[in-house]
Amino acid sequence: METNIKEVLNVLKAPAPHMVGDGFRVHNFFPSGYQVNMDPFFLMDYGSKIEFSARKEPRGVGIHPHRGFETVTIAYHGAVAHHDSSGNSGVIYPGDVQWMTAASGILHKEYHEKNYSLTGGPFQMIQLWVNLPAKDKLSKPNYQAIKQSEMPVFNLTDDGGRIEIIAGNYRGLTGAASTFTPIEVYNARLNTGAQANFNFPKQYNTGFMVVEGSIRINGKDTAPVDSFVYFTHEGEEIQVEALENSIVLILSGAPINEPISQYGPFLMNTEEEIQQAIEDYNQGKFGYLEE
């Protein structure tokens, strides 16, 4: 009998962490941690929950360039400040999202927000690199600051929790972020025993990051906190049950299916374009940003 269930291919444990700057301890699930194809999501750095001590000088990452993709930072604990060479700046707090389109080239810096730094406390974030198709890689940089309060929300029945739609479309609700290609990004905040259903086209690359709690998928596969659930391309329907109060980042997207050439903070289609990016950066074409 043919089924329309999208089966779990793997439940992946968090790879060993490493530091990005002095403010972000991350587990790189892909591309270096595991060989999973999540196109158009090229990279996922998962910052599992950690306690930072109080400090006057904020920790973070200094000025660095990007070209050819978007960085999407999702906050769960703590607060992050951002400045870039296009004149954008902002702070994201728990539940908020910062969606920066580097595209033709940008300089930016990310660091712990001043007041959070002074008090310290729990810190937990996810950063995604979302690839851009070749035709959009040199488009104008952009910045979308998305507060949790501005996200469309689908409330589950019987106080089961809520689905916050960051990008894409869930049950007729369209996400807050504007995207270049079809992408689904939601935060599912599920109470114990709650069930939620998702439907994604077969060809989409789909994965769930368990940020808090633990879940059962399609009635059989369990995934604990800090694990990434990677799905097959068969079927479309996924059912999630929360085994305890849980937060799950839902990711699914139509693959761009173009060649990728990556060097450090540049994500292009060819080696020649990488060389051009390096040359443009060295010539100051990514703008200016004060230390």
Side-chain angles (χ1 to χ4, degrees), residues 20-52:
V20 177
D22 65 357
F24 303 94
R25 187 197 69 171
V26 301
H27 311 263
N28 182 257
F29 273 88
F30 55 87
S32 63
Y34 294 98
Q35 297 301 305
V36 297
N37 178 13
M38 281 295 293
D39 177 16
F41 305 99
F42 176 78
L43 173 149
M44 185 177 76
D45 274 343
Y46 170 64
S48 58
K49 197 184 294 183
I50 184 176
E51 291 279 334
F52 278 108

Side-chain angles (χ1 to χ4, degrees), residues 244-255:
E244 54 190 305
N245 288 348
S246 300
I247 300 174
V248 186
L249 177 66
I250 311 293
L251 300 173
S252 190

Side-chain angles (χ1 to χ4, degrees), residues 116-133:
Y116 165 77
S117 192
L118 289 172
T119 59
F123 192 86
Q124 188 178 25
M125 302 269 164
I126 290 176
Q127 185 169 94
L128 305 165
W129 287 15
V130 179
N131 194 17
L132 293 174

Side-chain angles (χ1 to χ4, degrees), residues 274-286:
I274 291 291
Q275 293 303 322
Q276 187 64 55
I278 294 168
E279 194 175 310
D280 289 349
Y281 168 65
N282 287 335
Q283 290 179 359
K285 292 184 180 178
F286 284 28

Side-chain angles (χ1 to χ4, degrees), residues 266-279:
F266 306 131
L267 188 57
M268 304 302 291
N269 296 100
T270 67
E271 178 62 29
E272 291 75 22
E273 290 169 342
I274 291 291
Q275 293 303 322
Q276 187 64 55
I278 294 168
E279 194 175 310

Side-chain angles (χ1 to χ4, degrees), residues 53-221:
S53 58
R55 181 168 146 170
K56 274 188 178 179
E57 190 64 32
R59 301 171 174 90
V61 184
I63 297 170
H64 57 285
H66 288 304
R67 173 179 276 183
F69 64 99
E70 303 181 288
T71 64
V72 179
T73 307
I74 306 167
Y76 296 96
H77 291 280
V80 170
H82 158 94
H83 284 85
D84 67 45
S85 56
S86 288
N88 299 301
S89 63
V91 177
I92 54 172
Y93 297 97
D96 299 342
V97 174
Q98 169 193 291
W99 198 296
M100 186 188 79
T101 305
S104 62
I106 205 167
L107 305 176
H108 81 144
K109 55 183 179 178
E110 307 155 276
Y111 46 93
H112 295 182
E113 186 271 333
K114 185 172 59 176
N115 290 326
Y116 165 77
S117 192
L118 289 172
T119 59
F123 192 86
Q124 188 178 25
M125 302 269 164
I126 290 176
Q127 185 169 94
L128 305 165
W129 287 15
V130 179
N131 194 17
L132 293 174
K135 66 182 180 62
D136 297 314
K137 281 190 177 293
L138 296 181
S139 55
K140 186 180 177 183
N142 189 35
Y143 179 78
Q144 300 176 76
I146 305 168
K147 293 191 179 301
Q148 185 181 32
S149 60
E150 298 167 351
M151 294 175 192
V153 172
F154 182 86
N155 290 303
L156 300 172
T157 57
D158 302 322
D159 196 30
R162 51 195 262 150
I163 313 294
E164 297 168 353
I165 303 102
I166 298 167
N169 189 287
Y170 183 80
R171 303 292 177 93
L173 296 173
T174 300
S178 172
T179 68
F180 285 80
T181 59
I183 295 173
E184 308 292 325
V185 182
Y186 326 138
N187 268 325
R189 300 177 185 271
L190 309 175
N191 297 326
T192 305
Q195 294 186 356
N197 295 295
F198 302 92
N199 183 299
F200 303 115
K202 285 183 181 182
Q203 73 273 21
Y204 278 31
N205 292 312
T206 302
F208 293 179
M209 184 68 225
V210 185
V211 176
E212 203 168 282
S214 58
I215 58 174
R216 181 181 291 119
I217 302 143
N218 299 329
K220 55 182 180 180
D221 296 288

